[in-house]
Amino acid sequence: MTLDTQRYRNKMRQKQARVNLVPLIDVIFTILIFLMVTSSFQAAADTSSSSGKPEVIQTNGTSEYYLIPVSGLKTVTVNGVDMSKDIRNSAIAVHTDVIDYGEIIIKSKEGTIIITSPSNVPTDKAVSIPQS
């Protein structure tokens, strides 16, 4: 009795499992669409976050000073002068000319704000105590 190896190879090739990827991709996209439709996205409502990033506050009209809140604010220096006495509730009021023409560096991890005011704004007028 002779062994027909060629016939056996052909038979094995025909029996190999084949994976059709089209239905797999369809199922994955269906699951993805389901998850996107059923999930809800919300903005963080916690205002006492410790991220240290300044909050954007809507204001109406013109103001001479704008509030810059920084979580854990400890020191504020203006042109090298310590103005930390003006900090209230981890916030400082900064003059509009300083915001427009000066330089403000916020180091939230250290709780520090370094301000370089323009020449037309005196150091004592560059920042102020925030009004409640």
Side-chain angles (χ1 to χ4, degrees):
M1 174 172 202
T2 61
L3 293 173
D4 189 6
T5 56
Q6 187 64 30
R7 185 172 156 206
Y8 179 73
R9 284 185 197 153
N10 289 340
K11 189 176 180 182
M12 291 306 290
R13 284 188 190 135
Q14 290 175 355
K15 287 186 178 182
Q16 282 184 343
R18 293 191 178 147
V19 177
N20 191 356
L21 292 179
V22 174
L24 177 66
I25 293 172
D26 289 344
V27 169
I28 290 173
F29 277 125
T30 303
I31 292 171
L32 180 67
I33 290 170
F34 173 77
L35 291 175
M36 289 177 65
V37 169
T38 59
S39 51
S40 62
F41 300 99
Q42 295 177 353
D46 184 18
T47 58
S48 63
S49 65
S50 61
S51 68
K53 294 180 181 176
E55 297 175 10
V56 177
I57 300 172
Q58 295 287 338
T59 59
N60 292 330
T62 59
S63 178
E64 192 174 353
Y65 288 92
Y66 286 102
L67 184 68
I68 298 181
V70 176
S71 179
L73 183 61
K74 297 175 192 136
T75 58
V76 174
T77 56
V78 178
N79 296 335
V81 178
D82 185 23
M83 299 295 284
S84 300
K85 64 180 178 9
D86 293 340
I87 298 172
R88 294 293 183 269
N89 298 325
S90 293
I92 191 81
V94 180
H95 196 276
T96 56
D97 286 341
V98 174
I99 292 173
D100 292 337
Y101 306 111
E103 180 181 12
I104 301 172
I105 300 171
I106 300 173
K107 297 181 179 179
S108 60
K109 290 183 180 177
E110 294 138 15
T112 304
I113 297 178
I114 301 169
I115 298 173
T116 305
S117 66
S119 58
N120 64 338
V121 179
T123 303
D124 58 334
K125 299 287 184 190
V127 295
S128 175
I129 299 171
Q131 302 298 320
S132 321

